[in-house]
Amino acid sequence: MAAPVSSVGKPSAERPPFNSTSFQKKTRSKLISIPGTRPSVQNGQLLVSTGVTSLDYLLGGGLAVGTVLLIEEDRFDSYSRMILKYFLAEGVVCRHELFVASAQDNPDDILQELPAPILDDVAIHKPVEQPRLSCEPQDNLDAMKIAWRYQNLPKVQSALASSSRFGHYYDVSKTMEPEIRQAAKCHRFYLPEHPTQSSTTHSRMIESYSALLKSLQEVIHREGFDLSTPMSMSRNILRVGLHSLGSALWNDDLSCHDDPMHSHALTTFLYGLRALLRSSLSVAVVTVPSYLIQDRALMGNITRLCDNAIALESFKGSERETNPLYKDYHGLLHVRQVPHLNCLASQLPDHKDLAFKLKRKQFSIERLHLPPDLSETVSRVSRGELAGAAAVVSACGSGTSGNKHLDF
């Protein structure tokens, strides 16, 4: 009888309460907090900035970690290389680690060309001024220059920007200071420094791509970017920049022949790259000279193996370079593919006609708006041309009538 007595004498605090339950309130898992990242409002994916705010807006807020952005190069590789440098410069400012691979230029030369970050007060865009009510006679005269049915329409906003700022702004007329650039940890892969050996075994991936993928895999595992790394360690993002894959400098004949012998080398590499990024805190930007690839079906397979894909069409060397309709732009931008991550339907851009331009200090992407043919300047030119044409016709007519009179 001692046991029941001792149990009764226990304080009631040790007894489980009468209305106790095993259910607990479900709390949202804590997201990884890494400088230079933010979660997506659409699918909760961790995003990083490309360095170009208008491109971030176009891609749904930024580049998702674990994805690949494909950039189809312009013919002179000017603007695609610039976007790659923006991407790397953003990584330097955010203290992310870099992995730069190239077969043409030394990665050190690419890093020395990174644009310099500019001050916030210089980069803040001014809001569009709202049209004020016209009360003066002069204002009424100015308002009569356009048709009355167009006066109440809102002004078209050509700039691509979101309400919340993400990323930094850069000055392409200046290069980043060496102290800032050297503070970031960078891993380099320069193909001439990695001699490839001819393999006797049959492989769908050529040695240059195999060495590149192996080097990237070693960096991811050694530096702790793999998701299998314990969460107790401080986490960071690895930004991967791969320049001009598919060119002949990578020992790839994809852009040299109509029927290349290594037609599946680049697609096999992209398979391995995407699988490697999916299981790590890494994000990649890949540039490909698509204008040299003759097989459109193969280029479509390359595009589908990437999560994001854009194409740059430069006006250099074309008729549009001297066309006054495109005087405010330097080329067109085409969105080939948008990501489908953690969602059934991806967010498509609200505008398909896009153009890019390089100002004195900044590279930006805008909605393409051509001037109307009936604008004031065009009308004056048209009237002058019509007047000149009428004078020529009248002169020719008088000359013809005179000849007829002489012959008669």
Side-chain angles (χ1 to χ4, degrees), residues 158-210:
S158 60
L160 300 177
S162 59
S163 57
S164 60
R165 175 182 169 181
F166 185 45
H168 302 80
Y169 296 96
Y170 299 90
D171 185 356
V172 296
S173 63
K174 301 178 181 179
T175 57
M176 186 177 294
E177 296 180 0
E179 293 79 8
I180 302 177
R181 187 178 66 248
Q182 294 172 2
K185 189 174 182 179
C186 180
H187 310 274
R188 302 163 179 83
F189 182 92
Y190 187 39
L191 185 60
E193 297 178 355
H194 295 265
T196 58
Q197 300 178 357
S198 58
S199 178
T200 57
T201 60
H202 178 72
S203 176
R204 298 175 68 91
M205 189 186 305
I206 57 179
E207 290 297 323
S208 57
Y209 294 152
S210 179

Side-chain angles (χ1 to χ4, degrees), residues 82-250:
M82 184 173 299
I83 295 179
L84 179 62
K85 290 188 290 186
Y86 266 99
F87 172 74
L88 297 175
E90 181 68 20
V92 172
V93 174
C94 296
R95 299 298 178 91
H96 296 163
E97 293 192 24
L98 307 180
F99 182 93
V100 185
S102 176
Q104 179 180 2
D105 299 326
N106 195 306
D108 291 330
D109 297 335
I110 298 177
L111 294 174
Q112 290 177 2
E113 298 174 357
L114 297 184
I118 60 180
L119 299 177
D120 295 344
D121 53 354
V122 179
I124 294 177
H125 296 279
K126 296 181 179 180
V128 180
E129 296 182 357
Q130 298 296 332
R132 58 187 178 89
L133 297 177
S134 57
C135 300
E136 301 178 0
Q138 184 64 29
D139 295 338
N140 294 329
L141 292 177
D142 295 338
M144 291 299 293
K145 291 182 179 180
I146 61 175
W148 60 270
R149 60 181 178 272
Y150 298 131
Q151 293 181 10
N152 296 327
L153 292 178
K155 292 184 178 181
V156 178
Q157 183 70 17
S158 60
L160 300 177
S162 59
S163 57
S164 60
R165 175 182 169 181
F166 185 45
H168 302 80
Y169 296 96
Y170 299 90
D171 185 356
V172 296
S173 63
K174 301 178 181 179
T175 57
M176 186 177 294
E177 296 180 0
E179 293 79 8
I180 302 177
R181 187 178 66 248
Q182 294 172 2
K185 189 174 182 179
C186 180
H187 310 274
R188 302 163 179 83
F189 182 92
Y190 187 39
L191 185 60
E193 297 178 355
H194 295 265
T196 58
Q197 300 178 357
S198 58
S199 178
T200 57
T201 60
H202 178 72
S203 176
R204 298 175 68 91
M205 189 186 305
I206 57 179
E207 290 297 323
S208 57
Y209 294 152
S210 179
L212 173 59
L213 192 64
K214 182 179 179 181
S215 177
L216 178 59
Q217 186 176 10
E218 291 177 354
V219 170
I220 290 177
H221 292 310
R222 183 179 68 248
E223 302 298 330
F225 295 105
D226 198 343
L227 293 179
S228 60
T229 305
M231 295 296 295
S232 58
M233 298 180 59
S234 60
R235 312 306 295 265
N236 201 356
I237 299 295
L238 177 65
R239 289 176 177 251
V240 182
L242 309 180
H243 180 251
S244 196
L245 295 184
S247 64
L249 297 175
W250 286 94

